[in-house]
Amino acid sequence: MIFVIAVLAGAVILFITEWLRVDVVALSVLLILAIFGFVTHEEAIAGFSNKAVITIASVLVLSAGLVRTGVAQIIGGQILRLSGDSDLKLLVIMMLVVGSLSGIMNNIGVAALMLPVIMEIAHRTGRSPSKLLIPLAFASLFGGLTTLIATAPNILISTALESAGFAPFKLFDFTPIGVIAMAVGVLYLVVAGRHLLPDRDLGRSTSITDTLRGQYELNERLLTVTIPEDSPLTNRNLAESRLGSALGFNVMAILRGASTLLAPGPDTELHAGDKLLLGGRREQVGTLNDWKTLTMKQGWLVGEHQVGDALKFAEMKIAANSALIGKTFKEAGPRNKYSINILAVIQNGRVRVSRLRNYRFNKDDVLIGMGRPEHMAEFEESKHTSEYKLVSPRRVALQYKLHRNLIGIHLPEESSLVGRSIARSHLKSALGINVLGVNRQGDIKIMPSPEEELEADDVLIVMGEPEILEILNCLQNLELEEQVQTDLERLESDEVGVAEVTLSPRNSVAGKTVGELNFRDRFGLSVLAIWRKDRAHRTNLRDFELEPGDALMVYGLREDLARLQQADDFLVISGLDQPIYKKNKVFVAAGIEVGVLASVALGFLPIFIAALTGAILMVLTRCISMDEAYEAIEWRAIMLIAGMLSLGVAMQQSGVSELLAHNMLESLAFLGVHGILAGLFIVTMIFAQIMPTAAVAVLMAPIAIITANDMGLSPHTLAMVVVIASSSAFLSPVGHPVNLLVMGIGGYRFTDYTKVGLPLVILFGLIAVFLVPVFWPLSL
């Protein structure tokens, strides 16, 4: 029992802190329990063939079929149009539509589907999205209470009843109490909740003028520079100009005479007299003046006398068992952890010296390292390398041709950088180069602190491309104009536009930076700004780590925006037409869904067989392809559920479930049966705010069933209380994926959910405690 409780506590902590992905946690729990013998090997993997897992995966495919054929969009769009100009009517109809669709589809899919529809209505009617999106999210949770297939916890709890020897819930057993809960939720939001919603007029629009002048305030970051007639930038392309990498600018347009070239690509050639419309900070142009007196020294590595005994160089082959494998330079942190610099990576004979920040280490990579002798020795002893060989600076310079990339930048006495810290020199933030060391009158200081103050005649040892100062000289000649010389409407055309996107509920990019994603190269789009927690971020976006709920404003070719719309990681909220649906399959998909529901309701087929049959029919009738079916399945949730089911088995077999039932719930027996129901609701509801609801259902259903058995109560009554509590994730944005989905787009704060959700939780608690026993009597 102690071991199982420790595993349970560890899993809960990891779910809350998100130090590891939830599916990794669940699979780790499964393996720990199996390896140490707390479940048999067969029991450990039984979750993958569990009826609930099959049902959930099949329902996700059915939902995808309804989405791809346009069934849900047609139903939602038509009914929402009935709302007219009435805010109250729109709110009521929207929640009823979303709640009803969530009864037959996965509620996350419904929310993702309806989000662009709601945003379009908000744009068209001038309503604030912040008044609509929390009701949208909450309505999808209301709908999760209305049928067995509406949400994963319902299916899991029903399966737990069946596994304990009781009759499982039928398809529409949830409907009476679910419809009442949805009606109460809608009534609350209409009467009181809507007044608690923030009224943040974020000004989102698909018009680029409104977008730039709206909540992102990008018009304040627009500037125009002119390329002089004699500029060395003439006939260079944008990539070679380094406007993006050196100064962090987005080149939004090139004004060339009477024509305007919108969203130019990296290969676009620059001409003398071009006016470049840039998105960025005006003060970045001023930093060019700080670099005017810099001079470059090459070949310093060749002369070993310039290095002396201060530095050691080594070739280091990564060991097969190294913890570095699969990590980026940023994640591994050799500079921070070991105080050494990696100058280059040799992979399959190819030498890489640039863009190492996001490079992932591979087995047998050879690293060229530089550092003080004691630091290099420490790295050798770290067991990250299978081969370690000290080499001379001359070999490093000549064999790998690093003498061209390891350069020294001299600061003359008149330089304005003298007296500034390395951080304030902007060499790294603007040019993307690391200062490896400072040669100060022959004394080499390796790994200087960012706060190290620069002195006259310092030579900064940096890793960079030898053309960097030539490019700087080109940039210094740009002519900055005081006023933006364009009509903002000219930035949009039939081919070019702006769109707002958010991370999809099933994304794989959260925790990664825009730079790590190679967003510009991958999609051909510029990220102009990122909205998070009621404010816009417009600078240093390359190093901005994305989080669920972020909203990104992107600009580029509409064909590239359409390509982004097809990516699984992002959801386009505004700026694009709705995707093309297979409308010739509308009635086929609708018929399949009706057939599944009817076969289960009439008792012809069990839910997992009916749902799986429907999923296969969606593919056979070409409502969706098999690849689309696989993409529709939320594999992270499947792994989570299958892994946690093994923990549920271990908790029951070890007596932990019984122990928790006695200590947590039966201790409330002196308050009567309603006290037990209230305690069960509160504990489950709290877990639902901080843990995946599927995991909450797996953990709490056995406890509810054991409590019912011990106290002579109906297990169905207590199981229904767990159902309602699992769907009461109203107090925090992390309580359910649909809450996170609308957070960035709606401009919500954490407290907005608590303020609107707390009365709703109390109402649902009252339903669970006093109304559930009316439909599901407490006595057996």
Side-chain angles (χ1 to χ4, degrees), residues 476-605:
Q476 289 161 6
N477 294 324
L478 293 176
E479 299 172 357
L480 177 64
E481 300 187 10
E482 290 300 320
Q483 300 294 328
V484 176
Q485 300 295 315
T486 187
D487 179 0
L488 294 181
E489 293 290 353
R490 294 175 64 187
L491 295 179
E492 195 168 28
S493 69
D494 291 338
E495 291 79 29
V496 176
V498 66
E500 190 173 32
V501 303
T502 188
L503 274 62
S504 72
R506 303 184 184 105
N507 76 85
S508 61
V509 300
K512 297 180 181 178
T513 66
V514 174
E516 288 172 340
L517 295 175
N518 294 317
F519 195 91
R520 170 75 178 180
D521 295 336
R522 183 177 170 190
F523 298 109
L525 301 169
S526 297
V527 179
L528 303 182
I530 298 176
W531 184 273
R532 175 183 295 170
K533 296 178 182 177
D534 78 345
R535 66 169 293 228
H537 301 265
R538 299 175 292 267
T539 56
N540 300 321
L541 297 182
R542 182 175 179 79
D543 297 322
F544 200 89
E545 195 171 279
L546 298 178
E547 294 180 0
D550 286 347
L552 287 70
M553 184 59 64
V554 298
Y555 177 70
L557 296 175
R558 294 192 187 277
E559 62 184 48
D560 291 329
L561 293 173
R563 189 156 52 92
L564 179 66
Q565 191 176 36
Q566 301 302 315
D568 293 333
D569 293 321
F570 298 97
L571 184 65
V572 178
I573 301 304
S574 63
L576 274 185
D577 294 332
Q578 291 296 309
I580 298 174
Y581 298 105
K582 300 177 182 178
K583 293 186 177 180
N584 61 321
K585 301 290 185 180
V586 166
F587 294 107
V588 176
I592 292 172
E593 180 72 15
V594 171
V596 169
L597 297 177
S599 64
V600 175
L602 297 175
F604 293 154
L605 292 173

Side-chain angles (χ1 to χ4, degrees), residues 161-484:
L161 282 170
E162 187 176 13
S163 299
F166 298 98
F169 286 123
K170 297 177 182 177
L171 180 63
F172 294 114
D173 281 351
F174 297 81
T175 306
I177 201 72
V179 169
I180 292 173
M182 184 161 68
V184 169
V186 171
L187 185 63
Y188 158 72
L189 285 169
V190 168
V191 173
R194 65 190 178 104
H195 300 295
L196 300 175
L197 290 165
D199 187 9
R200 301 192 181 105
D201 185 7
L202 302 181
R204 288 184 169 84
S205 169
T206 55
S207 160
I208 191 162
T209 303
D210 293 340
T211 296
L212 295 180
R213 290 174 177 165
Q215 85 282 8
Y216 289 100
E217 298 177 347
L218 288 170
N219 60 309
E220 300 176 1
R221 302 295 178 100
L222 294 178
L223 57 151
T224 307
V225 297
T226 302
I227 298 179
E229 293 294 331
D230 56 349
S231 172
L233 287 178
T234 301
N235 298 326
R236 291 181 182 265
N237 62 36
L238 273 178
E240 294 171 333
S241 75
R242 300 298 182 88
L243 280 166
S245 58
L247 298 176
F249 288 140
N250 283 313
V251 182
M252 302 183 67
I254 297 177
L255 313 180
R256 185 172 291 163
S259 63
T260 302
L261 180 61
L262 300 178
D267 296 327
T268 303
E269 190 174 274
L270 299 174
H271 295 171
D274 281 351
K275 293 182 183 293
L276 278 58
L277 182 65
L278 308 175
R281 300 172 62 182
R282 183 174 292 264
E283 53 265 33
Q284 284 294 88
V285 179
T287 61
L288 293 171
N289 296 324
D290 298 331
W291 302 329
K292 283 187 176 179
T293 56
L294 299 179
T295 57
M296 182 174 66
K297 291 186 175 183
Q298 285 183 279
W300 68 276
L301 260 181
V302 179
E304 292 190 38
H305 62 279
Q306 296 191 42
V307 178
D309 296 326
L311 297 175
K312 293 295 182 184
F313 296 81
E315 297 172 349
M316 306 172 290
K317 187 175 183 179
I318 294 182
N321 60 347
S322 172
L324 298 179
I325 294 175
K327 293 183 178 179
T328 65
F329 269 65
K330 179 184 176 182
E331 293 166 346
R335 178 173 177 130
N336 296 329
K337 190 171 182 180
Y338 298 102
S339 298
I340 67 170
N341 285 294
I342 304 299
L343 306 180
V345 177
I346 293 89
Q347 183 187 39
N348 299 325
R350 179 190 172 199
V351 181
R352 298 176 60 111
V353 296
S354 61
R355 296 187 177 181
L356 294 179
R357 177 182 174 84
N358 297 320
Y359 177 80
R360 293 191 180 275
F361 291 102
N362 299 287
K363 174 188 172 184
D364 295 334
D365 280 352
V366 176
L367 312 180
I368 307 301
M370 176 188 82
R372 291 191 176 278
E374 61 272 21
H375 296 150
M376 296 295 289
E378 182 183 355
F379 187 77
E380 180 185 9
E381 295 170 1
S382 68
K383 299 182 180 180
H384 287 306
T385 62
S386 59
E387 298 177 16
Y388 180 92
K389 180 182 177 182
L390 290 174
V391 293
S392 69
R394 182 177 295 276
R395 176 173 175 176
V396 171
L398 299 181
Q399 179 172 339
Y400 300 113
K401 298 181 173 58
L402 293 184
H403 61 287
R404 296 183 68 252
N405 300 88
L406 273 166
I407 57 180
I409 297 180
H410 177 249
L411 273 69
E413 188 173 350
E414 63 272 18
S415 172
S416 59
L417 293 181
V418 173
R420 292 191 188 182
S421 66
I422 292 176
R424 290 183 58 223
S425 72
H426 299 296
L427 287 170
K428 180 175 182 178
S429 60
L431 303 179
I433 59 176
N434 280 319
V435 179
L436 308 180
V438 178
N439 188 337
R440 185 167 292 159
Q441 297 179 351
D443 180 24
I444 299 179
K445 179 175 288 190
I446 299 301
M447 306 292 296
S449 163
E451 303 307 316
E452 177 75 26
E453 193 172 284
L454 300 175
E455 298 180 5
D457 290 326
D458 278 351
V459 176
L460 306 181
I461 304 169
V462 304
M463 173 66 82
E465 298 181 11
E467 297 84 5
I468 191 68
L469 289 185
E470 179 185 351
I471 296 294
L472 285 180
N473 290 330
C474 297
L475 294 176
Q476 289 161 6
N477 294 324
L478 293 176
E479 299 172 357
L480 177 64
E481 300 187 10
E482 290 300 320
Q483 300 294 328
V484 176

Side-chain angles (χ1 to χ4, degrees), residues 61 76 106 141 149 203 404 417 520 666:
V61 175
N106 175 264
L141 296 177
I149 64 171
R404 296 183 68 252
L417 293 181
R520 170 75 178 180
E666 293 180 27

Side-chain angles (χ1 to χ4, degrees), residues 49-248:
S49 61
N50 187 277
K51 296 176 184 178
V53 171
I54 301 299
T55 304
I56 291 166
S58 300
V59 168
L60 290 169
V61 175
L62 284 169
S63 298
L66 296 177
V67 170
R68 298 295 171 93
T69 56
V71 173
Q73 195 268 348
I74 291 171
I75 295 172
Q78 290 294 333
I79 297 179
L80 285 172
R81 290 188 184 96
L82 298 175
S83 63
D85 296 328
S86 170
D87 290 348
L88 197 60
K89 200 173 178 182
L90 171 63
L91 191 63
V92 172
I93 292 178
M94 176 196 72
M95 288 190 288
L96 291 178
V97 170
V98 171
S100 300
L101 288 174
S102 296
I104 58 173
M105 294 174 58
N106 175 264
N107 54 7
I108 300 174
V110 172
L113 172 74
M114 297 303 295
L115 185 54
V117 177
I118 301 301
M119 291 297 293
E120 178 60 28
I121 291 175
H123 294 156
R124 193 173 62 245
T125 61
R127 294 181 174 98
S128 171
S130 66
K131 284 291 189 180
L132 298 172
L133 296 186
I134 278 183
L136 167 69
F138 285 3
S140 72
L141 296 177
F142 301 159
L145 293 170
T146 55
T147 67
L148 174 63
I149 64 171
T151 188
N154 299 3
I155 300 170
L156 290 165
I157 292 166
S158 178
T159 304
L161 282 170
E162 187 176 13
S163 299
F166 298 98
F169 286 123
K170 297 177 182 177
L171 180 63
F172 294 114
D173 281 351
F174 297 81
T175 306
I177 201 72
V179 169
I180 292 173
M182 184 161 68
V184 169
V186 171
L187 185 63
Y188 158 72
L189 285 169
V190 168
V191 173
R194 65 190 178 104
H195 300 295
L196 300 175
L197 290 165
D199 187 9
R200 301 192 181 105
D201 185 7
L202 302 181
R204 288 184 169 84
S205 169
T206 55
S207 160
I208 191 162
T209 303
D210 293 340
T211 296
L212 295 180
R213 290 174 177 165
Q215 85 282 8
Y216 289 100
E217 298 177 347
L218 288 170
N219 60 309
E220 300 176 1
R221 302 295 178 100
L222 294 178
L223 57 151
T224 307
V225 297
T226 302
I227 298 179
E229 293 294 331
D230 56 349
S231 172
L233 287 178
T234 301
N235 298 326
R236 291 181 182 265
N237 62 36
L238 273 178
E240 294 171 333
S241 75
R242 300 298 182 88
L243 280 166
S245 58
L247 298 176

